[in-house]
Amino acid sequence: MSKVNQMWGGRFDLPPSELMQEINASLPYDRRLYAQDIRGSKAHAAMLAKQGILTSEEEKKIQEGLSLILKEIEDGRFDFRRELEDIHMAVEARLKELIGDAGGKLHTARSRNDQVAVDMKLFVREECEKAVALLKDLRRVLKKRAQENVETIMPGFTHLQVAQPISFGFYLHAYYEMFGRDIKRFENAFDVMGECPLGAAALAGTPYDTNRFFTAEQLGFKAPTKNALDSVSDRDFVLEYLSCASICAMHLSRLAEEMVVFSSQPFGFVKMPQEYTSGSSIMPQKCNPDAAELMRAKTGRIYGSLTTLLTVMKGLPLAYSKDMQEDKEALFDACDTLVLELKVMTAVVEGLTVRADNMRKALENGFPTATDLADWLVKKANIPFREAHHITGTIVKFAEQNGLRLMDVPLKEMQKVCPQITQDVYAVLNVESSLNARKSYGGTAPDQLRQRLSEEV
Ligand code: ARG
């Protein structure tokens, strides 16, 4: 029997070929689930004993055996044999070696289908918590840097063209908000994946008198899943993590992109911390923003994992198919990528040097207070906004043709375009007053931003 397969050898005459083992075995990567697998088995054994399906003697042996295996794995003494296929069978086989017959009773009233589902759910829940904790670190740093830069004026862009003056603190606070929503998404995902699939068995439930509420509670879930077929069929919780991770990675990528652009010489708004840049092998002057570029690029891996699993799942009939084993490498890669990115981004934002002088210089061009001029015409001269927009456009054209900033255009030139313009228009044409004027809720005015930053969310 053992020559074929010690778990199901009874029905087989031949062992799997080498090639079959290569395509079939998940042990090389799902060994990463060992802690979740043992935790799930311990809870299951405790439940079986509580229900009188195992004797307390048998349970004790199983618990001790599993604890020993956990230690063997953690000490690097465990023999991961590929022919055992996956982590579930590797642990069970070792348990039998260690404790004999009682080991074979652990698999009563469960199957690998609910076992892998619960292992994965436990793993993904931990990754949600990890992402939340790291996002909180990143937000703490963003908030600190935003508070330091409430009055640091820079151009705000649309189409990457100078639009209106904003503060660098306001800019950072925008990302603070985005990452705040990412946290909520991961927390919500954690909550949605709050039902325990263990005990669903192969797909239809089990004839044993089990107590799935007890198992669920032992493993920190709110309740057991309500349909055994659903429990072993879906991987929507993995997809949900990957969706949250994809959105978060997209946010990280935009911030990374702006670090690349803002740290380039023509902008010079920020300097990347030197420990996160690298030099060129030929151009001695270079200090390239590699960390930011890689954060921008790694987004593709996370989207890739989401696309992989969506594609794996889309045509599968209920319940389990081996296709679902392909969820693992995609998930693990996305988790590792996201964790690394969040740590690097936190360090980069913390170490950024802010070049307020260059930010200010960039506001000299691009007529950033043109909207303020139009607003002045609306408020002070009672001109409809559309017309005010047109008048301002004409004045901007004059300024551009004469190489002037808006505040340098002589009053009589402005009056040629619109006779109602008076001397006090100049008060709104400098960038500070433009910034201070935007004090609507959520606006860039320093007082507004200070209030938003002082709120605990
Ligand atoms: N290694 C498998 C996986 O990751 C475990 C479940 C196997 N179940 C089965 N019926 N073959 O999906």
Side-chain angles (χ1 to χ4, degrees):
M1 160 176 149
S2 60
K3 255 178 65 198
V4 180
N5 183 308
Q6 53 181 304
M7 300 293 165
W8 57 59
R11 199 214 172 285
F12 285 74
D13 300 320
L14 293 173
S17 70
E18 269 294 313
L19 263 179
M20 173 57 180
Q21 284 191 34
E22 195 176 331
I23 192 170
N24 194 38
S26 52
L27 190 57
Y29 46 86
D30 73 10
R31 50 190 281 180
R32 185 164 172 174
L33 295 171
Y34 74 88
Q36 290 79 8
D37 194 70
I38 290 172
R39 206 176 144 207
S41 289
K42 280 176 157 278
H44 185 66
M47 183 279 290
L48 292 176
K50 183 178 147 59
Q51 297 300 102
I53 301 167
L54 289 180
T55 65
S56 54
E57 197 58 19
E58 287 164 338
E59 193 222 337
K60 191 163 170 281
K61 277 192 182 167
I62 291 175
Q63 297 292 0
E64 284 169 3
L66 289 170
S67 299
L68 204 68
I69 294 170
L70 183 66
K71 193 151 178 7
E72 282 180 356
I73 296 177
E74 279 173 351
D75 294 348
R77 286 186 288 113
F78 190 88
D79 184 15
F80 289 98
R81 284 180 289 143
R82 190 178 73 167
E83 62 271 23
L84 289 169
E85 241 190 84
D86 58 26
I87 185 66
H88 324 296
M89 298 214 282
V91 170
E92 198 184 317
R94 179 67 183 140
L95 187 66
K96 273 190 222 141
E97 273 169 27
L98 286 170
I99 68 167
D101 278 352
K105 295 196 175 178
L106 172 61
H107 213 52
T108 315
R110 76 169 183 189
S111 97
R112 268 194 302 159
N113 298 348
D114 55 336
Q115 197 180 350
V116 71
V118 78
D119 290 7
M120 287 292 279
K121 232 181 207 184
L122 288 170
F123 180 89
V124 178
R125 293 186 102 200
E126 284 168 34
E127 291 300 317
C128 285
E129 290 178 318
K130 221 186 268 178
V132 167
L134 288 170
L135 277 162
K136 284 185 177 166
D137 289 344
L138 175 56
R139 284 184 98 218
R140 215 170 293 127
V141 171
L142 279 168
K143 185 176 191 168
K144 189 181 101 210
R145 301 305 318 258
Q147 275 161 340
E148 292 163 10
N149 288 284
V150 167
E151 307 206 23
T152 310
I153 300 190
M154 69 179 273
F157 299 94
T158 63
H159 313 267
L160 201 54
Q161 310 268 327
V162 171
Q164 291 174 346
I166 60 172
S167 72
F168 187 58
F170 183 68
Y171 161 80
L172 293 175
H173 183 247
Y175 281 102
Y176 177 86
E177 290 295 297
M178 292 178 224
F179 293 125
R181 291 192 295 276
D182 288 340
I183 288 179
K184 285 189 187 146
R185 266 184 281 274
F186 278 114
E187 285 174 343
N188 184 60
F190 180 88
D191 187 54
V192 173
M193 60 182 91
E195 292 181 341
C196 179
L198 189 57
L203 75 163
T206 166
Y208 295 94
D209 176 27
T210 54
N211 182 345
R212 293 190 55 217
F213 286 86
F214 177 81
T215 319
E217 200 194 311
Q218 293 274 299
L219 294 173
F221 289 98
K222 288 184 289 190
T225 46
K226 295 185 186 69
N227 179 298
L229 188 59
D230 166 48
S231 314
V232 294
S233 299
D234 213 345
R235 290 293 179 268
D236 56 356
F237 59 97
V238 184
L239 287 167
E240 198 157 2
Y241 171 88
L242 292 173
S243 308
C244 299
S246 293
I247 295 175
C248 180
M250 175 273 295
H251 287 150
L252 287 165
S253 182
R254 294 185 76 174
L255 181 51
E257 156 72 5
E258 285 171 332
M259 309 233 148
V260 173
V261 173
F262 290 171
S263 69
S264 70
Q265 286 77 10
F267 275 81
F269 289 4
V270 294
K271 258 169 85 177
M272 292 271 294
Q274 212 172 59
E275 319 87 274
Y276 291 90
T277 61
S278 66
S280 152
S281 57
I282 173 167
M283 297 168 281
Q285 83 279 17
K286 291 286 234 167
C287 220
N288 297 325
D290 293 29
E293 292 167 306
L294 287 164
M295 285 191 278
R296 187 173 59 182
K298 281 180 188 293
T299 316
R301 300 172 71 125
I302 298 180
Y303 292 1
S305 292
L306 176 61
T307 308
T308 297
L309 190 56
L310 281 171
T311 312
V312 165
M313 295 305 294
K314 78 171 191 52
L316 295 187
L318 305 188
Y320 181 85
S321 296
K322 200 57 168 274
D323 309 51
M324 286 156 76
Q325 182 166 283
E326 285 292 311
D327 60 354
K328 291 178 191 59
E329 285 168 293
L331 172 69
F332 297 157
D333 187 66
C335 293
D336 294 342
T337 305
L338 188 70
V339 164
L340 178 63
E341 277 200 59
L342 286 169
K343 286 182 184 167
V344 172
M345 186 57 92
T346 303
V348 167
V349 172
E350 178 134 55
L352 273 186
T353 307
V354 180
R355 300 292 310 272
D357 48 343
N358 288 336
M359 291 182 181
R360 188 132 197 145
K361 246 184 258 154
L363 275 164
E364 305 268 291
N365 301 318
F367 311 103
T369 54
T371 319
D372 299 86
L373 173 53
D375 287 337
W376 186 92
L377 293 167
V378 171
K379 278 203 233 160
K380 296 287 159 79
N382 201 23
I383 294 172
F385 185 80
R386 267 297 141 240
E387 201 185 316
H389 184 287
H390 188 82
I391 294 168
T392 306
T394 313
I395 296 172
V396 165
K397 187 160 53 168
F398 173 87
E400 192 178 46
Q401 281 162 355
N402 293 277
L404 298 171
R405 296 176 303 174
L406 221 40
M407 60 211 259
D408 301 328
V409 176
L411 184 59
K412 61 174 188 348
E413 290 300 335
M414 293 208 210
Q415 285 169 337
K416 275 191 207 159
V417 185
C418 173
Q420 288 109 301
I421 298 180
T422 56
Q423 181 65 35
D424 67 337
V425 76
Y426 290 98
V428 302
L429 294 184
N430 70 71
V431 291
E432 276 80 14
S433 52
S434 170
L435 192 81
N436 288 322
R438 294 199 154 57
K439 49 190 185 307
S440 55
Y441 184 92
T444 189
D447 283 347
Q448 261 304 313
L449 181 57
R450 271 190 205 100
Q451 276 177 42
R452 298 290 80 77
L453 284 168
S454 68
E455 292 161 356
E456 217 39 77
V457 273

